[in-house]
Amino acid sequence: MAHVPQIKVPATYIRGGTSKGVFFRLQDLPERCQVPGAARDALLMRVIGSPDPYGQQIDGMGGATSSTSKTVIVAKSEQPEHDVDYLFGQVAINKAFVDWSGNCGNLTAAVGAFAIAGGLVDAARIPHNGICTVRIWQKNIGKTIIAHVPITNGEVQETGDFELDGVTFPAAEVVIEFMDPADGEGSMFPTGNVVDDLEVPGVGTFKATMINSGIPTIFVNAADIGYTGTELQKDLNADAEALARFETMRAYGALKMGLIADIAEAAARQHTPKIAFVAPATEYVSSSGKTVAAGDIDCCVRALSMGKLHHAMMGTASVAIATAAAVPGTLVNLAAGGGAREAVTFGHPSGTLRVGAAAAQVDGEWTATKAVMSRSARVLMEGWVRVPGDAF
């Protein structure tokens, strides 16, 4: 067998929010991978270490969880009044595909800093000290995101005292604005209702709020499915039967939302929609051992990503939570106490998160104008990733 040498591809490994991913500048990818297609997907899978039947991604940069099996491609923007285009690829762990159907809100926190450091933002727009406003075009969903990145002495400031539950160490705060986060191709509520009866053959019928804001998300009441809303990963992720039920519910929700035409399509669309369960504010002990008091939160939310309970909360799902909370009558709004609100603080397995959102009715349809949250990001390693030359 002929020896095939490895090739080197410039890349940066970054923590963004409660996720980690491998970031690339589009111009640094091998030429045939600079366009969508099988070659690009194969390269990214090999970088991450997928598909891995062992489920460990030992032979790649992935961390064997949905939060760490991620890739990002950034380029100078082709859109007017934007600095960069941001494309997110969620790499399946034990299957051979990359899901391009949605955004990663956590890694969004790192896009602005990566773009600045990579020379993709006009130098005239970067202050020597202060905040650099990076205008991001999110290509997966066709939406604008504004990242406010701190700059010190002309360079991105990564260290600071901002603490984010789910991340061990403090860092600099990055404020992110998701502009017009709802799907622009129809109602923010694809069924036309803020609450529906979701029929799931073999499982049951459940009240559900299905929303497309930030990322398509299906919310159900924790109590209706036998949970309290205070569960941690250890309470769910070893229960194969429970995870299978959630996946079935997610698939039928995707069908009802019009995201797929046939139930079988859900298996190849793992990234979207998300499924989450909500409950009124309840005291619990987070995964770090910290007590979350009921009085410190408006409600409890748990969400699944790529078939497993997330260790904290996905950034895009946080947008969905905040937007749903702002609309009277949704399950999230009711769990948070009902009424009008412009922000929600919710409890997740790692602690709490506050997200602001504004929603309004326009011509009888609910729409979201903006969602705002704080995250942090830090470069972990930069240089090159290596992959076998025949991997793509």
Side-chain angles (χ1 to χ4, degrees):
M1 180 177 176
H3 169 69
V4 179
Q6 294 209 96
I7 65 164
K8 299 194 300 183
V9 182
T12 306
Y13 195 47
I14 311 180
R15 177 191 62 76
T18 57
S19 292
K20 291 189 290 189
V22 184
F23 282 60
F24 302 91
R25 297 191 308 175
L26 178 64
Q27 67 207 58
D28 293 332
L29 293 175
E31 186 174 355
R32 62 185 181 276
C33 300
Q34 293 183 16
V35 295
R40 173 185 286 182
D41 286 7
L43 171 67
L44 297 181
M45 285 189 287
R46 195 67 172 90
V47 166
I48 293 297
S50 292
D52 184 358
Y54 302 106
Q56 300 300 314
Q57 294 179 326
I58 294 298
D59 199 22
M61 298 294 292
T65 70
S66 67
S67 300
T68 56
S69 187
K70 298 185 173 188
T71 57
V72 170
I73 301 172
V74 182
K76 276 190 171 292
S77 186
E78 298 177 349
Q79 299 291 321
E81 304 301 316
H82 289 74
D83 298 300
V84 291
D85 291 342
Y86 155 42
L87 186 64
F88 168 69
Q90 177 78 58
V91 180
I93 295 171
N94 59 357
K95 298 178 181 178
F97 72 89
V98 181
D99 194 331
W100 301 100
S101 66
N103 179 32
C104 174
N106 275 298
L107 290 188
T108 297
V111 172
F114 177 74
I116 293 169
L120 299 175
V121 176
D122 185 352
R125 300 196 62 253
I126 305 171
H128 188 68
N129 288 288
I131 301 295
C132 181
T133 301
V134 183
R135 303 162 300 185
I136 301 166
W137 179 251
Q138 215 301 318
K139 290 191 69 173
N140 301 76
I141 58 175
K143 293 290 182 179
T144 297
I145 301 172
I146 308 296
H148 301 274
V149 182
I151 304 292
T152 299
N153 297 328
E155 296 185 350
V156 172
Q157 178 189 329
E158 296 179 291
T159 57
D161 57 8
F162 174 73
E163 296 186 353
L164 178 65
D165 285 342
V167 177
T168 304
F169 304 107
E173 181 179 11
V174 178
V175 177
I176 310 168
E177 298 179 85
F178 296 83
M179 312 304 293
D180 185 27
D183 186 351
E185 299 181 357
S187 173
M188 187 165 72
F189 298 98
T191 66
N193 305 313
V194 297
V195 177
D196 282 280
D197 287 325
L198 177 61
E199 296 182 19
V200 185
V203 180
T205 300
F206 309 93
K207 294 295 181 185
T209 289
M210 290 172 276
I211 189 171
N212 194 347
S213 181
I215 199 165
T217 306
I218 304 155
F219 293 102
V220 296
N221 286 320
D224 292 348
I225 55 174
Y227 294 107
T228 63
T230 62
E231 285 76 14
L232 305 181
Q233 283 189 306
K234 63 181 177 62
D235 300 317
L236 248 73
N237 287 349
D239 189 339
E241 290 185 7
L243 296 178
R245 285 195 298 272
F246 275 114
E247 179 58 22
T248 302
M249 294 170 67
R250 191 188 74 88
Y252 278 92
L255 190 65
K256 194 167 181 103
M257 293 176 79
L259 298 173
I260 57 176
D262 184 89
I263 200 71
E265 296 175 27
R269 188 179 174 129
Q270 291 189 342
H271 184 51
T272 60
K274 302 300 186 189
I275 185 163
F277 50 101
V278 300
T282 305
E283 182 176 300
Y284 66 96
V285 177
S286 73
S287 55
S288 67
K290 180 177 69 176
T291 297
V292 176
D296 292 339
I297 54 177
D298 299 308
C299 60
C300 294
V301 189
R302 301 296 188 263
L304 283 79
S305 180
M306 303 289 282
K308 296 289 184 72
L309 182 66
H310 196 274
H311 71 101
M313 185 55 64
M314 304 80 82
T316 47
S318 300
V319 173
I321 292 165
T323 306
V327 177
T330 69
L331 297 187
V332 181
N333 175 265
L334 295 174
R341 61 174 58 246
E342 294 185 350
V344 64
T345 300
F346 60 87
H348 57 72
S350 293
T352 68
L353 183 64
R354 178 180 172 83
V355 185
Q361 277 188 308
V362 179
D363 298 327
E365 295 280 3
W366 282 101
T367 186
T369 55
K370 183 168 68 172
V372 183
M373 73 177 72
S374 289
R375 282 288 195 265
S376 64
R378 187 172 74 87
V379 171
L380 304 178
M381 184 178 290
E382 55 191 345
W384 300 270
V385 290
R386 294 185 182 232
V387 294
D390 61 353
F392 58 97

